[in-house]
Amino acid sequence: MEDKIKVIPLGGLDDSGRDCYVIEINDDIFVLECGYSLPDKTIPGIDFLLPNVEYLILNKNRLKAYILTHGHDENMGALQYYFDYAPAPIYCSKATKIIAESEAKRFGLKPQWQFNVVQPSDTIQIAGHVIHFFQTTHNASYSFGVCLETSRGNIIYTGDYIIDFTSQEKGYYFDLKKIEEIANKPTFLLMSESKGASKEGYCAPQHNIYSRLSMT
């Protein structure tokens, strides 16, 4: 019997920020990203715009994991606001964990998060489901994409990334070998960051500034 799959974007579509995507495989729910966006001048008095997570709260007993691909507010900033209402283990890199905890501290919050630190190209199991991570190049260090195996094929979420084979810094490595391994199996759904997709040409690799920063 083939897996029953649902994909529910709670934010992030046609929006700069608020990335939050629900992947349901049978009765299990996985949340990819948990971000917020900032309001413009047309919404005075509002600090942050959050995804509508009522669906997660109503189905929190089926929630198996939050998966955060990197440490930007549009990807992980909203986690601190509704984890108490819909708790689940959080899977991310050590770099993303540090940033999330720093952000919570900055706002005076002390959430009881359940972090599971993974390496950007690990393969693990969550609730019996095989999940692959593959490291990508982004201006946030140790970013990764996600692949969830299903009987219908892989569900792949790339996150925000650029392809850069020149980077020698391990935090900004593009793991083409892991992507090739994943591609050996059929892909059922490919999800990619759409921000800036309509712009022609190439983007400058912003992570190149890393080597010029002082670590003292």
Side-chain angles (χ1 to χ4, degrees):
M1 183 176 180
E2 290 191 326
D3 290 327
K4 183 178 180 181
I5 296 170
K6 291 182 182 179
V7 179
I8 308 171
L10 301 181
L13 297 184
D14 197 26
D15 192 4
S16 180
R18 282 193 289 183
D19 291 347
C20 190
Y21 312 101
V22 171
I23 308 295
E24 288 192 24
I25 304 175
N26 301 320
D27 292 326
D28 297 331
I29 292 178
F30 299 89
V31 179
L32 308 180
E33 315 288 38
C34 194
Y36 65 60
S37 62
L38 298 175
D40 58 27
K41 61 184 179 181
T42 64
I43 318 175
I46 302 299
D47 295 322
F48 307 109
L49 299 174
L50 307 178
N52 185 340
V53 292
E54 182 180 2
Y55 184 80
L56 293 184
I57 296 172
L58 292 174
N59 294 278
K60 61 183 180 181
N61 61 311
R62 300 195 290 122
L63 181 56
K64 302 303 179 183
Y66 292 99
I67 300 175
L68 310 177
T69 65
H70 62 279
H72 280 164
D73 288 340
E74 65 266 27
N75 301 92
M76 58 89 194
L79 182 66
Q80 56 192 313
Y81 294 102
Y82 55 80
F83 179 86
D84 288 344
Y85 299 100
I90 305 161
Y91 292 81
C92 63
S93 70
K94 183 178 180 180
T96 301
K97 174 180 180 290
I98 291 172
I99 294 171
E101 290 176 330
S102 297
E103 283 291 288
K105 184 177 180 181
R106 182 164 69 95
F107 289 105
L109 301 174
K110 298 180 179 179
Q112 300 299 309
W113 285 333
Q114 309 163 41
F115 278 109
N116 291 271
V117 173
V118 298
Q119 296 301 316
S121 286
D122 275 351
T123 293
I124 64 173
Q125 283 198 27
I126 305 176
H129 300 275
V130 177
I131 298 180
H132 306 279
F133 304 113
F134 52 94
Q135 186 168 354
T136 58
T137 303
H138 190 38
N139 58 359
S141 63
Y142 296 99
S143 64
F144 57 70
V146 185
C147 170
L148 297 90
E149 288 192 6
T150 80
S151 64
R152 295 174 179 266
N154 291 330
I155 297 175
I156 299 173
Y157 171 66
T158 67
D160 194 0
Y161 73 100
I162 64 170
I163 298 174
D164 182 4
F165 301 121
T166 67
S167 175
Q168 300 302 309
E169 298 290 345
K170 62 182 181 180
Y172 303 93
Y173 172 69
F174 189 81
D175 195 348
L176 184 62
K177 183 178 179 181
K178 185 64 179 288
I179 295 172
E180 182 182 12
E181 292 174 0
I182 292 171
N184 285 328
K185 293 185 178 180
T187 298
F188 176 69
L189 175 65
L190 175 63
M191 303 168 60
S192 185
E193 174 67 52
S194 60
K195 183 179 179 181
S198 61
K199 296 182 179 179
E200 295 183 358
Y202 297 89
C203 59
Q206 294 172 305
H207 62 274
N208 281 356
I209 196 173
Y210 178 82
S211 61
R212 304 185 183 187
L213 297 177
S214 173
M215 296 296 119
T216 60

